[in-house]
Amino acid sequence: VNALAFPRPPRRDDGSLRSHTGVLWLETDLGHTVPAVHVKRPRPQRACRFLVLYSHGNAEDLGLHLPFIDALARATGADVFSYEYVGYSLSRFANLSPDEDGCYRSIDAAWIYLTETLNIPANRIVVYGRSIGTGPSVDLVARTALKSGKAAAQPPRGALGLLLQSPLESAIRCALGYGSSLSMYPLDIFKNYEKIEAVVCKAAIIHGTSDNVVPCKGGVALHDALQNPYEPCWLEGYGHNNMPYDRVFLYARCFLGELNKVRRNAEREQGKPVVELFQKAGSA
């Protein structure tokens, strides 16, 4: 399953990644090091500093999508932080192989760095995953929500929002269908369909209707299971790898605008349970 799920680009010494001004190194809880890039956007001093935590797809790596995250930062006005999976890109030189747990450890290292080292408030972070990157993204947001225990729906202890591009229900549901995901349950990975209901923050989904790599019906099913959905964007006639960047970036910018309204409302109504504010925003 891992061999099919993680078709890494060929091994190479990526000079473009090493020379990027925002490159840094993260360490997972197992001591593995992975590169990351922090793209910072200038803005007025009083402006809200959102940060997008971006998880890439399976057939690319951090070096290959540097132009995308730079463009995403310019289009949205937000800072963008993108990290690498264990076994991909420069981390591959340590003879590490990618797997599901490695992806979770990598995004955890990114989250800890952002919230503990840089002291960025969790409710200023929007988690954005594309394709297989929706696996660690959903897992992170679902866990940060659940970890808040009795107040499991207090988004200030978790991310402000979740944006999923071409999300999969699970690896086997994506490749072989619903029935196979039941019969092959122990082998399945990235079971987003089991975790999506635990996501309490506002969540948005964009998906091409003609996607024959990750079927759009999976995106529709995940959207239907969301507690607090944002208006989805089904891009008619587009597939997995030809989605128009201008429309993707416009959707992301509009979503961040909606989240900014939620943030302002939360600041004005301090003292009320924040889940109540998110529910109000979802019903507006």
Side-chain angles (χ1 to χ4, degrees), residues 235-256:
L235 289 176
E236 192 68 34
Y238 287 98
H240 195 70
N241 296 312
N242 69 342
M243 294 175 68
Y245 283 166
D246 58 342
R247 295 181 65 179
V248 172
F249 292 155
L250 175 61
Y251 184 69
R253 187 165 66 247
C254 291
F255 181 52
L256 291 183

Side-chain angles (χ1 to χ4, degrees), residues 126-130 137 161-165 203-206 251-252 255:
V126 179
V127 179
Y128 180 175
R130 176 184 180 271
S137 297
L162 175 66
L163 174 55
L164 303 177
Q165 179 180 337
I205 294 179
I206 182 170
Y251 184 69
F255 181 52

Side-chain angles (χ1 to χ4, degrees), residues 98-169:
D99 59 17
E100 181 184 21
D101 287 341
C103 291
Y104 296 153
R105 292 195 300 271
S106 297
I107 198 171
D108 282 353
W111 182 263
I112 291 170
Y113 174 79
L114 293 172
T115 58
E116 297 184 10
T117 302
L118 297 186
N119 292 315
I120 296 175
N123 64 348
R124 295 291 179 93
I125 299 175
V126 179
V127 179
Y128 180 175
R130 176 184 180 271
S131 189
I132 208 166
T134 63
S137 297
V138 170
D139 185 80
L140 174 75
V141 176
R143 283 186 291 118
T144 53
L146 293 172
K147 280 180 180 177
S148 38
K150 186 169 75 172
Q154 289 191 5
R157 301 191 62 180
L160 176 61
L162 175 66
L163 174 55
L164 303 177
Q165 179 180 337
S166 309
L168 60 157
E169 289 186 276

Side-chain angles (χ1 to χ4, degrees), residues 9-20 23 25 35 37 60-67 84 88-93:
R11 177 182 293 192
R12 67 189 190 281
D13 185 356
D14 195 329
S16 62
L17 178 56
R18 291 182 186 275
S19 62
H20 195 285
V23 71
W25 288 86
V37 167
E60 58 187 354
D61 61 27
L62 184 55
L64 287 173
H65 77 263
L66 288 175
E84 191 56 278
Y88 270 69
S89 183
L90 298 180
S91 70
R92 190 173 179 179
F93 289 97

Side-chain angles (χ1 to χ4, degrees), residues 260-270 277 280-281:
N260 196 36
K261 295 177 184 177
V262 173
R263 181 195 62 83
R264 290 200 303 265
N265 288 339
E267 291 179 350
R268 282 197 296 264
E269 300 186 37
Q270 288 180 358
L277 301 175
K280 285 181 180 178

Side-chain angles (χ1 to χ4, degrees), residues 20-32:
H20 195 285
T21 56
V23 71
L24 54 97
W25 288 86
L26 305 173
E27 184 173 316
T28 73
D29 60 351
L30 293 183
H32 300 146

